[in-house]
Amino acid sequence: MYRDRVVSVIEIRVDENACNGCGLCVKDCPMQVYELRDAISVPVRAASCMGCLSCHEICPAQALEHRGVYPSRRHYIDIRVCEMLNRVI
Amino acid sequence: MTDDTIREMKDSFASSTVYRSEDVPLQCVPPPDELEDTLHGLMKLNGLIIRSLEEIAGRGANAVTYRAGRKYGHEVAKYFRKIEDVEEALKELSNILHGQYTIEIWKPADKDRYIIEENGSTFIYLVFHDCIVRQTLRRNGQPQGGPLCLTLFGYVVGAIEEITGRKAKLEIVHTGPNACLKKLILQ
Ligand code: SF4
Ligand code: SF4
């Protein structure tokens, strides 16, 4: 289930069932977008999000969803992701 | 190496193309969508140069690449039209660099203006979206924010200084997989 938040240009949702309350997104976000409430991350300042997607990279539960973020061009295969996938597979 | 190997190699380079002195190639060969291997090769080469530079020059590598980028920015921007307004100058630079780098002038939700004055300094936040430097570093598994990023920093600072006639400085606020936030400090 997704917990909706105040709507801005960029919309952020946190899957409450997936979030384990580790707080990594809270620590990592440079714009203090998230706060932990009842051990769940809540995007309280989504209007300040600049779309870096560091929180996606760091979230171990893949609980985050952003809408309205400009997708930067990718010219590469992310070798860290590939290594991780290879380990899992 | 056997004769067969050598012959095979030579055959792979054999061509019946006729070049005349007046022939000027009008398009990339092969077409851009077939250039992926070349692009990866370039990214690996850049990554390797930067990694070696860091090993040789240590922390000094940042200063060297920053200065090189800044000099390049000044040289290139000499031919751009002069604009006093920094926001306009950034917009112009973003248009010129489009395809390699896209830069957005940005402000946090609690600020009213893009030019922010705080603790005695004046600055503008810049979000770097498309960036070949980020692609190169991540493709090679190298950390962001090092000497290759500083080349680009230097370039932006040099170009802005040249276009506006004002001194500037750039600071990394955050580096991410999809965008990076920087502060252009105006002096
Ligand atoms: S994308 Fe970046 S700025 Fe936006 S919430 Fe995630 S870490 Fe924060
Ligand atoms: S990083 Fe992911 S799992 Fe951890 S608090 Fe944030 S959303 Fe929840």
Side-chain angles (χ1 to χ4, degrees), chain A residues 52 54 57 70 72-73 75, chain B residues 106 129-130 135 138 174 178:
Chain A
C52 65
S54 289
E57 195 165 58
Y70 172 83
S72 293
R73 293 174 188 210
H75 308 306
Chain B
W106 187 84
H129 293 288
D130 300 318
Q135 303 294 309
R138 294 181 70 82
H174 184 78
N178 191 57

Side-chain angles (χ1 to χ4, degrees), chain A residues 9 16 25 36-38 43 62 66 72 78 82 88:
Chain A
V9 182
E16 285 184 13
C25 56
L36 275 189
R37 291 187 184 163
D38 303 327
Q62 298 182 355
H66 277 63
S72 293
D78 194 324
C82 291
V88 175

Side-chain angles (χ1 to χ4, degrees), chain A residues 10 12 24-34 43 45-46 48-58 64 66 69, chain B residues 106 174-179 181:
Chain A
I10 290 179
I12 306 172
L24 286 174
C25 56
V26 180
K27 273 196 209 131
D28 195 48
C29 173
M31 302 322 299
Q32 291 84 43
V33 164
Y34 303 100
R45 273 178 289 273
S48 286
C49 171
M50 46 90 187
C52 65
L53 297 187
S54 289
C55 50
H56 280 232
E57 195 165 58
I58 209 162
L64 301 171
H66 277 63
V69 167
Chain B
W106 187 84
H174 184 78
T175 57
N178 191 57
L181 184 64

Side-chain angles (χ1 to χ4, degrees), chain A residues 1-3 13-22 39-41 59-65:
Chain A
M1 188 181 93
Y2 285 100
R3 180 186 288 199
R13 291 171 179 197
V14 178
D15 184 337
E16 285 184 13
N17 295 327
C19 174
N20 61 21
C22 67
I40 299 281
S41 174
C59 175
Q62 298 182 355
L64 301 171
E65 186 186 283

Side-chain angles (χ1 to χ4, degrees), chain B residues 24-36:
Chain B
V24 178
L26 293 177
Q27 51 198 193
C28 293
V29 181
D33 58 351
E34 287 172 30
L35 284 172
E36 196 174 342

Side-chain angles (χ1 to χ4, degrees), chain B residues 90 122-124 126 160 168-170 182-186:
Chain B
L90 284 164
T122 308
F123 61 87
I124 300 179
L126 300 177
I160 289 297
K169 223 171 86 183
L170 207 59
K182 281 147 200 186
K183 235 181 186 182
L184 182 74
I185 303 166
L186 305 165

Side-chain angles (χ1 to χ4, degrees), chain B residues 7 32 39 82 88 140 156 179:
Chain B
R7 202 171 307 116
L39 178 64
K82 305 288 172 231
E88 270 302 310
N140 293 322
V156 172

